[in-house]
Amino acid sequence: MPRCEAQLRRDALHIWRAGVAAVDSARLVRQAVEVRDSRLWLSAPGGDPIDFIDLASVGRIAVVGGGKAGAGMAQGLLDALGAELLASRQVRGWINVPADCVRPAGPIHLHSARPAGRNEPTEQGVAGTDAILRLAASLTPDDLCFALISGGASALLPAPVEGISLADKLAITRHLSESGANIAELNTVRKQLSRIKGGGLARACRAGRLVALVISDVLGDPLDVIASGPTVPDTSTREQALEVLDRHRARGISPTIVEHLARTVSLQRDGTGCRVTNLVIGNNATAVEGAAAEARRLGYTPSLDHATELEGPAEAVGRRHAELALRMRAHDGPDCLVTGGEPVVRLPAADIRGLGGRNQQLALAALEQLMPTACRGIALVSGGTDGEDGPTDAAGAVVDQTVVEAAVRLGLDPADHLARCDAYHFFAPLDALIRTGPTHTNVCDVRVVVAARHLAD
């Protein structure tokens, strides 16, 4: 029996939320860290042990890091270590998180490094990063240091090199983001201007062992790009950073930064004296597979795909999802599509720019492709797994026939809102925004499409 429109919408949202739950940061850490037989075991996703640390040889344990998943990761590590080890190894820590993620975390201080909904570095973030670097540098070869790294850490861990102000870095980052620079390009520049990125945390750490647990928000999981690689060697160069500035016409934004990058050839950065283990414990594929598993449980036959490379414009990705939805509705085979990725949005001039994020822009482009009547028997959800989509209080948006009909009734023009990147104000009066609050995780975006088969337009 075909599912009704309301059921399709409920199912699409439920499947999307299952994808977010699959990358619950506390659970991912608990699965990766286990104390057993006087050893601390590290396991890869799937449960296979890959290494262990003899706790008898460990003095203190420190915890540092940053990211949108920081609060959940901290709690997961506290759970995994247990009260006895927390006391005997004098566990203490400092993690930079967004303001709305701050909560009690025992001996680990969660520091408000930026306001909620503002994914930019702040002076509070600089102060917190300095505290992290001091803590890492205070350790000894008998100590163990955990670095909890997740998406958003690039903005949450600002530490400008000498001679570069935070205002200079912020101006360059804003220009590159608004020009459509991708995450790899952004981090190529940021690493050359930072004391903690590009392996800076590992170089500062004086512990005998540094274990970085990483929740990846970068497609393909390149460790040197996730959070700008604070625990891995920097493979980028100043010359490459200058090329990024040229590609996006950014040289005039901050002559100080250009002078710094052009002053000498790339510096040879010394390695670290501690043994470093980097372990990716969750990523976009984890979320996509979790969502697909829930779709099967609900009786759907899902097709799934998670991007491993950077995606194109959000508008094009949204239209492609709309076309795939129409095919699913018309033909036998999969009746659910679960995808993951991270498209880009090129922002218009500030004087006409509205409010929104890449998921809302993607959903609006899909809606435009499907209206006015082709959305019958289709529901589409696109949302950021971190609960933040651009500078908004929404994770993304949902599209179905009810939303389309309400938009027509209110006379809303999707083309106009798309052109101005104002999807938020399109979806808000339609009760079509997804609001989750902080999810304490971050693995890019998840999109879900469900369809009732063989329905004509």
Side-chain angles (χ1 to χ4, degrees), residues 55-286:
L55 289 170
S57 65
V58 173
R60 296 172 297 167
I61 297 178
V63 184
V64 297
K68 296 178 182 179
M73 295 183 80
Q75 187 58 57
L77 185 59
L78 294 175
D79 294 342
L81 295 179
E84 182 179 343
L85 199 61
L86 293 177
S88 66
R89 297 305 186 273
Q90 306 171 49
V91 174
R92 60 195 176 110
W94 187 295
I95 299 176
N96 281 7
V97 298
D100 55 351
C101 294
V102 172
R103 63 189 188 189
I108 301 175
H109 174 69
L110 298 182
H111 176 70
S112 173
R114 67 160 174 84
R118 178 184 161 193
N119 195 28
E120 293 182 332
T122 66
E123 292 294 347
Q124 292 86 353
V126 173
T129 306
D130 286 342
I132 287 169
L133 291 170
R134 288 195 300 270
L135 175 54
S138 73
L139 302 175
T140 70
D142 292 331
D143 298 331
L144 166 64
C145 184
F146 279 99
L148 306 183
I149 305 298
S150 59
S154 287
L156 289 162
L157 294 173
V161 296
E162 185 177 355
I164 300 297
S165 70
L166 181 63
D168 285 327
K169 285 189 66 177
L170 187 55
I172 282 287
T173 301
R174 281 176 176 166
H175 176 85
L176 292 175
S177 296
E178 292 174 1
S179 299
N182 60 47
I183 186 66
E185 292 175 315
L186 284 168
N187 286 355
T188 293
V189 174
R190 290 191 284 208
K191 284 189 289 186
Q192 294 297 322
L193 306 173
S194 173
R195 290 177 287 120
I196 193 169
K197 297 174 174 65
L201 177 58
R203 291 191 299 274
C205 185
R206 294 296 176 263
R209 187 78 183 268
L210 172 62
V211 176
L213 303 179
V214 181
I215 296 178
S216 172
D217 71 328
V218 182
L219 303 177
D221 307 333
L223 285 167
D224 61 331
V225 178
I226 302 166
S228 302
T231 60
V232 297
D234 186 5
T235 58
S236 67
T237 66
R238 293 188 179 192
E239 292 81 6
Q240 289 172 333
L242 285 169
E243 289 173 5
V244 172
L245 299 188
D246 288 338
R247 196 151 50 240
H248 295 279
R249 302 181 179 180
R251 279 191 179 242
I253 302 301
S254 173
T256 302
I257 284 179
V258 174
E259 181 184 353
H260 170 80
L261 293 174
R263 189 179 305 141
T264 60
V265 296
S266 294
L267 297 178
Q268 180 65 41
R269 294 181 169 181
D270 295 333
T272 175
C274 65
R275 178 183 170 190
V276 180
T277 299
N278 290 290
L279 180 59
V280 175
I281 62 174
N283 57 16
N284 188 250
T286 311

